[in-house]
Amino acid sequence: MTKKEITEKDLKKVVLESGIEVKPIYRPEDIKDIDYERDIGDPGEFPYTRGIHKFMYRYRPWTMRQYAGFGSPEDSNQRFKFLLAHGQDALNVAFDLPTQLGLDSDHPLAKWEVGRVGMAVDTLKDMEIAFDGIPLDKVSVSLTINATAPIILSMYFVVAEKQGVDLKKIRATPQNDILKEFISRGAWIFPVEPSVKLVCDIIEFCAKNAPKVYPVSVCGYHIRENGATPAQEVGYAFSIALTYIDKVLERGLKVDDFVPRFSFNFNVWGNMFEQIAKLRAARRLWAKIIRDRYGAKNPDSMKLKMIAGGGGSGLTYEQPLNNIVRAAYYALVAALSGTQTMALCTYDEAYTIPSAKASLIALRTMQILMEETGVCDTVDPLGGSYYIEWLTNEMEKKIVEAMEEVEKWGGMIRAIEKGYIQAKLAKQSYEYYRKIQTGEIVKVGVNKYRMEEEEEKVTEIYEFDENAYQRQVERLKEVKNSRNNLKVKESLEEIRKAIKRDENLMPYIMEAVRHYATVGEITQVLKDEYGVFKEPSIF
């Protein structure tokens, strides 16, 4: 009896999250329309598909920037120094929810969240402690803060002043992407338009005064965490970035004055080839948009700079040590994608904020990849693959589709104010997790290969620290008692007047910070003048 020959029709259909069907075999004819110079190019050359630098990791490997910060500024300072002592070459600072929402630690709504998921900051004093012994002219620091970014960045600048560091030498990246907060995280305060105004205040101020600061890190990452496909992650992030660019251009700046310091934060989990093609396509599309739509002349404006990695939604509560393996794959994908900076979620993050042990394992994961595997030897090693080049083209089309969808909604600000984008992602997120529950999407240890015996759990859980909370509140009280309250009152009033004149608020906020005005006091002035955002009903 002759055995039946297996054909492609006998194989299970494969469709990527972004809606692209994958063939089992790719051949030269699949990329016959690609022109190397036009569509790919050498690394460091337009359209930067293969990378934004000529020699990429062979000359300069990626920066390692693990997310850290918890409890009091003293606790966070120790963790920062721990990571730097073990080979991390940059910092990525987490702030607690009260700080993110403009509430001082002594606010009644703040108590049980003070220091829980990040460092508590009320005044300049806290930032002085957090960066004590850390030279801000030598260490690049990301500040994961959004609604209160003008206040926290002002504090950071004033700490640098006190260290004798010129603003022109500071290398920092405030996240400062409020539009993604409305879409995904929810840490917003003010209505959409004034929130965008504050983002642009920072962009403009840094362009004129702190040229090495990346004033915004546009976060497709969180949009992906909230239910976006990989293509939507990039498409919506680009739509956000273009919103900021258009608003800053209205202030009279030229695109080459500030876009070279735009950066992006992208997620890595899911199908590895889809992720790699996503980021190659993103580089190419960004270069074309900035050159062709905005007429940029400076090649640096066209280069998409990014941090990639993370992958929080890819990790699982079940069998948590498996997350170490997942994070290693995500790190490999980020490296093969050509990221400039990398950060990984830690194996225990489904349970708690990262422990020192878990943070060190994540750091060692990146170091092993960098030092032992040869991944830094040559640029874009998957470039030229029939599959990767075909998929890069397909991902670019899907990213453009997502951007066109936003345009049909009337632009990103209107899409958020009306709740269109939030509703779409909520539905997609529901469908994704329904498919995990039914087993349509396989998660090892969750719906397949579960263990009958008791699974190992994470036991080092970071709980609310009553003593740290009391110390924080006591320090806030001492600062208020020792500062010049007349100066504080006058500086807050100057902020209010500047709002009414529609001026850039950064110089006024920096002055208030110098007099130890609190995060809550400054935020209250902004609330008085701008109001607060009211969420649209999306169901």
Side-chain angles (χ1 to χ4, degrees):
M1 183 177 177
T2 304
K3 189 175 181 180
K4 179 189 174 188
E5 183 179 358
I6 297 174
T7 69
E8 290 189 12
K9 293 180 180 178
D10 299 311
L11 301 177
K12 182 181 177 182
K13 188 175 181 179
V14 173
V15 180
L16 302 178
E17 276 190 84
S18 298
I20 300 166
E21 185 170 352
V22 177
K23 298 192 294 186
I25 301 171
Y26 284 87
R27 301 181 172 86
E29 56 265 32
D30 291 300
I31 58 171
K32 60 182 173 55
D33 294 328
I34 290 180
D35 179 273
Y36 181 80
E37 297 296 333
R38 182 193 64 201
D39 301 319
I40 302 175
D42 283 347
E45 300 291 335
F46 188 90
Y48 308 105
T49 309
R50 306 194 66 188
I52 64 170
H53 299 304
K54 184 176 182 180
F55 296 120
M56 289 297 291
Y57 307 144
R58 185 71 174 262
Y59 173 70
R60 180 185 298 168
W62 61 84
T63 299
M64 291 174 277
R65 197 189 289 273
Q66 281 300 108
Y67 191 50
F70 65 98
S72 67
E74 291 89 343
D75 297 329
S76 297
N77 178 265
Q78 291 178 14
R79 180 63 62 85
F80 298 159
K81 291 177 176 175
F82 170 81
L83 291 169
L84 292 171
H86 286 82
Q88 184 165 301
D89 46 11
L91 295 174
N92 189 356
V93 182
F95 296 91
D96 69 4
L97 285 175
T99 305
Q100 293 182 46
L101 294 172
L103 302 174
D104 288 337
S105 296
D106 61 355
H107 193 286
L109 292 176
K111 178 172 180 179
W112 301 106
E113 285 294 337
V114 172
R116 275 208 69 204
V117 298
M119 176 173 71
V121 173
D122 296 311
T123 71
L124 175 63
K125 185 68 177 176
D126 297 321
M127 291 289 274
E128 292 170 350
I129 295 170
F131 293 101
D132 181 49
I134 299 173
L136 299 190
D137 57 339
K138 293 182 171 59
V139 178
S140 170
V141 177
S142 284
L143 304 166
T144 307
I145 196 75
N146 295 279
T148 55
I151 305 171
I152 298 301
L153 183 62
S154 292
M155 290 182 176
Y156 186 81
F157 284 160
V158 176
V159 171
E161 286 179 355
K162 286 175 172 280
Q163 289 189 5
V165 178
D166 191 322
L167 289 190
K168 290 183 169 53
K169 294 182 178 179
I170 291 177
R171 292 178 298 130
T173 308
Q175 195 164 84
N176 192 32
D177 178 13
I178 197 62
L179 289 179
K180 71 94 174 45
E181 291 290 334
F182 291 110
I183 294 171
S184 53
R185 285 192 70 245
W188 38 258
I189 302 175
F190 319 111
V192 181
E193 286 282 2
S195 294
V196 172
K197 190 265 185 195
L198 293 173
V199 170
C200 296
D201 278 0
I202 290 178
I203 295 171
E204 181 185 27
F205 181 85
C206 291
K208 295 177 178 176
N209 301 281
K212 291 187 176 180
V213 170
Y214 286 89
V216 61
S217 178
V218 182
C219 295
Y221 182 99
H222 304 91
I223 299 171
R224 169 81 169 130
E225 293 284 290
N226 206 38
T229 67
Q232 290 169 336
E233 172 193 356
V234 176
Y236 295 162
F238 279 8
S239 295
I240 288 173
L242 301 189
T243 301
Y244 297 148
I245 290 173
D246 290 340
K247 291 289 186 183
V248 175
L249 290 174
E250 290 174 3
R251 298 181 179 212
L253 273 71
K254 306 297 182 187
V255 68
D256 288 329
D257 293 337
F258 62 98
V259 173
R261 306 310 283 180
F262 265 50
S263 65
F264 289 84
N265 179 357
F266 289 124
N267 211 324
V268 172
W269 62 271
N271 184 289
M272 66 180 291
F273 299 108
E274 187 178 18
Q275 304 303 314
I276 293 167
K278 171 185 77 178
L279 296 176
R280 295 176 89 250
R283 269 194 300 272
R284 181 164 72 200
L285 182 58
W286 181 252
K288 290 191 290 189
I289 290 172
I290 299 302
R291 184 192 67 176
D292 300 339
R293 177 168 172 169
Y294 291 103
K297 305 297 182 190
N298 182 355
D300 205 29
S301 301
M302 308 170 203
K303 296 178 180 177
L304 187 148
K305 294 95 176 177
M306 64 172 135
I307 179 172
S313 286
L315 307 187
T316 65
Y317 182 89
E318 296 82 359
Q319 302 179 28
L321 294 181
N322 291 348
N323 293 330
I324 298 174
V325 182
R326 290 189 176 98
Y329 287 134
Y330 301 161
L332 175 62
V333 169
L336 293 174
S337 302
T339 188
Q340 284 69 61
T341 302
M342 192 184 300
L344 299 176
C345 288
T346 59
Y347 75 89
D348 56 358
E349 285 194 54
Y351 290 78
T352 182
I353 63 171
S355 64
K357 175 185 174 184
S359 295
L360 187 58
I361 289 174
L363 180 60
R364 292 288 184 258
T365 300
M366 291 185 283
Q367 291 166 335
I368 290 168
L369 177 66
M370 179 185 290
E371 303 288 353
E372 299 183 11
T373 68
V375 77
C376 298
D377 290 351
T378 192
V379 182
D380 187 32
L382 298 183
S385 154
Y386 304 133
Y387 179 39
I388 287 294
E389 297 300 353
W390 174 85
L391 189 54
T392 298
N393 279 359
E394 296 303 307
M395 286 299 293
E396 183 177 344
K397 295 173 189 171
K398 289 292 183 181
I399 293 169
V400 170
E401 284 180 16
M403 296 179 70
E404 290 174 344
E405 184 179 36
V406 174
E407 289 300 313
K408 289 177 182 174
W409 284 330
M412 184 54 79
I413 290 178
R414 186 170 186 274
I416 291 171
E417 289 177 334
K418 294 293 184 182
Y420 297 147
I421 193 166
Q422 297 97 312
K424 184 180 183 78
L425 296 183
K427 182 179 179 182
Q428 289 183 184
S429 183
Y430 168 80
E431 283 299 319
Y432 179 81
Y433 287 100
R434 184 190 64 76
K435 288 179 180 177
I436 289 181
Q437 288 185 331
T438 61
E440 291 177 71
I441 295 175
V442 173
K443 291 297 289 186
V444 172
V446 177
N447 58 21
K448 196 171 186 178
Y449 310 115
R450 288 186 62 88
M451 298 171 68
E452 296 302 323
E453 62 271 26
E454 186 176 352
E455 297 175 356
E456 184 174 356
K457 302 291 185 185
V458 171
T459 57
E460 187 181 346
I461 306 295
Y462 183 78
E463 304 284 1
F464 172 73
D465 185 338
E466 178 72 31
N467 291 329
Y469 165 73
Q470 293 296 344
R471 288 198 305 273
Q472 187 67 20
V473 171
E474 185 59 32
R475 177 161 52 234
L476 175 58
K477 184 178 178 182
E478 291 172 1
V479 169
K480 286 183 174 179
N481 287 336
S482 61
R483 68 186 183 179
N484 185 329
N485 282 306
L486 178 59
K487 290 288 187 184
V488 172
K489 185 178 179 180
E490 290 174 349
S491 61
L492 292 175
E493 191 56 31
E494 289 302 314
I495 294 174
R496 193 182 305 278
K497 292 177 182 175
I499 293 172
K500 293 182 185 301
R501 295 192 297 264
D502 197 28
E503 291 186 43
N504 190 315
L505 300 187
M506 283 298 293
Y508 301 96
I509 293 175
M510 284 182 66
E511 185 61 17
V513 162
R514 290 189 185 97
H515 295 299
Y516 292 86
T518 72
V519 170
E521 290 168 339
I522 297 171
T523 301
Q524 188 58 52
V525 173
L526 301 176
K527 283 182 180 177
D528 291 344
E529 299 301 321
Y530 291 139
V532 295
F533 179 64
K534 295 179 181 176
E535 272 192 293
S537 175
I538 61 173
F539 297 108

